[in-house]
Amino acid sequence: QPVVDACSEEVVSFEALLRWNSADHGFVSPAKFVPLAEDTRLIVPIGTWVMERACHEAAQHWPEHIKVNVNVSPEQLLESDFVANLVRALSESGLDPKRLEIEVTESIFLRDASVAREALESCMALGCSVALDDFGTGYSSLSYLRRFPFDRIKIDRSFVKDLTTSGSARAIVSTVIALGRSLGMEVTAEGVEDRTQLHILNELGCDEAQ
C-alpha cells in the first residue's frame, strides 16, 4: 500500500500488507487470521517471513529512495532472536536499514515495556526508523510518546474517514499533527481514500498520506 508525501504526492514508501488466499476458504481477512496467528504464536514465524520477503522485494525491485514499512506484532518483537532475525533479513537482502520502518502499536508496552524498548532501540541503532501505528485508538498513547522517541506517528484511519464530515475528527487530526511536530516526529494519516481528504491533510500540515 503506497504512502505519499502529502504535499508533492510523490510515493515515499510502501507498507507491506499480509493477505491470505486460501485454497480451501478463498480470501481470508487479516481481521480473522492475524488474531488467530497471534493466539497460536504462529505470528512469530509468519512475521519473520514477512520481514525477509519485504526487505528482499524493496532491495531488489524498488528505487533506492523508496522505503518499506513492516508491521511487527508484540509476540514477534519480544522474542529473544527478533533483532538477530532483523539483522539477517537486512544482510541477506542487501537492504539499507535506513529504508526500513518498523511499525508497532502501543500494545507492545503492555506486555514487557523494558524488553520492547530495548528491541526498538536496537532497531533504531541499526538505522531503521520506528513508527507508532493506529495512534489515537489505544489507552495511553500520550504517555508512550513521552517514554519512547518514535520517528513517526500514524493517525488511525477511523479519524481520517470522517475528516470531511466531522469537525471533531478534523480537530483531533489537527491536534495530533501539531503534537507530532512539537515532538519532532513525522505524521502519517492512514486510510486516505479521496483527494478532498488529502487536501485537508495538506492544509493541516500532515507529512504523509497512506
Side-chain angles (χ1 to χ4, degrees), residues 1-2 14-19 30 50 69 71 103 157 210:
Q1 192 170 60
F14 286 95
E15 179 178 343
L17 300 180
L18 189 62
R19 297 293 182 263
V50 170
N69 308 346
N71 293 282
E103 295 190 12
R157 65 179 58 247
Q210 181 169 334

Side-chain angles (χ1 to χ4, degrees), residues 144-198:
Y144 294 130
L145 289 181
R146 183 173 60 86
R147 291 161 55 187
F148 188 83
F150 291 96
D151 296 291
R152 181 180 311 281
I153 303 171
K154 300 193 74 174
I155 304 174
D156 188 73
R157 65 179 58 247
S158 61
F159 300 108
V160 178
K161 174 174 64 69
D162 298 327
L163 198 56
T164 60
T165 59
S166 169
S168 60
R170 179 166 179 156
I172 290 172
V173 170
S174 177
T175 300
V176 174
I177 292 172
L179 175 64
R181 185 179 296 113
S182 67
L183 294 173
M185 301 176 185
E186 295 192 339
V187 179
T188 298
E190 298 182 283
V192 180
E193 299 289 347
D194 58 53
R195 187 159 293 280
T196 302
Q197 294 171 335
L198 182 61

Side-chain angles (χ1 to χ4, degrees), residues 96-172:
D96 185 340
K98 293 180 180 179
R99 294 180 60 196
L100 175 64
E101 184 158 288
I102 303 296
E103 295 190 12
V104 297
T105 62
E106 62 186 31
S107 61
I108 61 168
F109 294 109
L110 301 178
R111 296 277 297 277
D112 193 326
S114 61
V115 173
R117 182 185 180 94
E118 183 177 349
L120 293 178
E121 288 176 341
S122 296
C123 292
M124 299 176 88
L126 289 171
C128 305
S129 54
V130 177
L132 180 60
D133 199 12
D134 300 334
F135 183 79
T137 60
Y139 298 102
S140 306
S141 295
L142 292 178
S143 68
Y144 294 130
L145 289 181
R146 183 173 60 86
R147 291 161 55 187
F148 188 83
F150 291 96
D151 296 291
R152 181 180 311 281
I153 303 171
K154 300 193 74 174
I155 304 174
D156 188 73
R157 65 179 58 247
S158 61
F159 300 108
V160 178
K161 174 174 64 69
D162 298 327
L163 198 56
T164 60
T165 59
S166 169
S168 60
R170 179 166 179 156
I172 290 172

